[in-house]
Amino acid sequence: MPLINVHDKSFDIYISEEILQQRIKELAAEINKDYSGKRPLFIAILNGSFMFASDLFKNLSIEAELCFIKLASYKGMKSSGNVVTSIGLEDDLFGKEVIIVEDIVDTGKTLHNFLPKLIHQQPKSMKIATLLHKSEATEFSLKLDYVGFDIPNKFVVGYGLDYDGLGRNLKEIYQVV
Ligand code: 5GP
């Protein structure tokens, strides 16, 4: 399989479309089983998770709702570092079974900072589904309930993930050479 170029970098294929789709079917089957008789609300985090959320959702047989949010990160007034807030969350989470959908968990900082804001709304339960996990890079402890692939700490693009805006349209996941 030839290398592809995105901006100034070369990438090699890492996870084929077939293997991605197969794994997503398996994750959906697990969720169908775990949430049988329930009606979870999937909260997919933009931009990167749009393809994963779409394919995961297509493979669900349970009743489920889906919304997309975007996280915005800004420096807080205090010295505590980045504060993460969300744009587009209109649903009230009180009493809901929530599943967060992420493209990739790297250090875990984004979700670690953001989840308390959701928990504050008192959902009945909250789980995390991520397509990719760089477990070697994770610094912030998070319980990841559904993980597609554990990958090494190397930059990846494709299937929704970008390198400086490009590469999201690729059907496979590519790893930097
Ligand atoms: P964390 O807060 O877990 O360190 O980082 C999460 C975010 O970093 C992801 O949602 C994603 O936007 C970005 N990210 C981390 N690793 C990669 C990678 O290998 N490729 C791309 N495209 N984005 C990444």
Side-chain angles (χ1 to χ4, degrees):
M1 181 61 97
L3 296 181
I4 59 152
N5 294 312
V6 182
H7 291 297
D8 57 337
K9 292 201 179 355
S10 295
F11 293 84
D12 206 351
I13 190 150
Y14 182 58
I15 308 175
S16 70
E17 182 181 10
E18 194 189 347
I19 291 177
L20 272 176
Q21 294 300 330
Q22 181 52 40
R23 183 71 187 123
I24 291 167
K25 282 199 175 84
E26 289 170 9
L27 292 178
E30 261 186 76
I31 292 172
N32 284 331
K33 191 158 137 274
D34 295 350
Y35 287 84
S36 167
K38 299 177 181 169
R39 187 191 292 177
L41 167 65
F42 288 75
I43 302 180
I45 301 182
L46 291 172
N47 292 326
S49 74
F50 75 98
M51 280 203 192
F52 174 44
S54 167
D55 285 332
L56 187 66
F57 213 70
K58 279 189 265 182
N59 283 289
L60 295 177
S61 54
I62 50 167
E63 287 191 345
E65 296 176 89
L66 170 66
C67 72
F68 288 90
I69 63 167
K70 190 148 184 154
L71 297 186
S73 167
Y74 59 92
K75 279 278 178 193
M77 301 294 286
K78 297 184 188 143
S79 61
S80 55
N82 284 347
V83 178
V84 179
T85 187
S86 70
I87 301 163
L89 185 62
E90 283 156 16
D91 299 73
D92 178 6
L93 303 186
F94 181 80
K96 294 220 168 175
E97 314 257 16
V98 172
I99 303 176
I100 307 291
V101 182
E102 257 289 27
D103 51 353
I104 184 164
V105 173
D106 182 4
T107 65
K109 186 176 182 185
T110 309
L111 286 184
H112 180 84
N113 286 349
F114 177 59
L115 291 188
K117 292 190 198 307
L118 297 185
I119 290 166
H120 187 70
Q121 288 195 30
Q122 296 181 275
K124 186 171 178 193
S125 67
M126 189 151 70
K127 288 192 180 181
I128 301 171
T130 186
L131 179 66
L132 305 174
H133 182 210
K134 289 182 177 171
S135 59
E136 293 167 1
T138 302
E139 294 168 23
F140 295 81
S141 89
L142 279 175
K143 183 173 180 294
L144 302 176
D145 302 279
Y146 304 100
V147 177
F149 303 88
D150 197 341
I151 64 167
N153 192 10
K154 282 180 119 183
F155 192 77
V156 289
V157 290
Y159 196 69
L161 289 118
D162 74 312
Y163 168 41
D164 211 3
L166 297 182
R168 294 193 197 277
N169 51 314
L170 298 163
K171 294 188 183 73
E172 310 83 8
I173 300 276
Y174 291 79
Q175 191 176 56
V176 73
V177 176

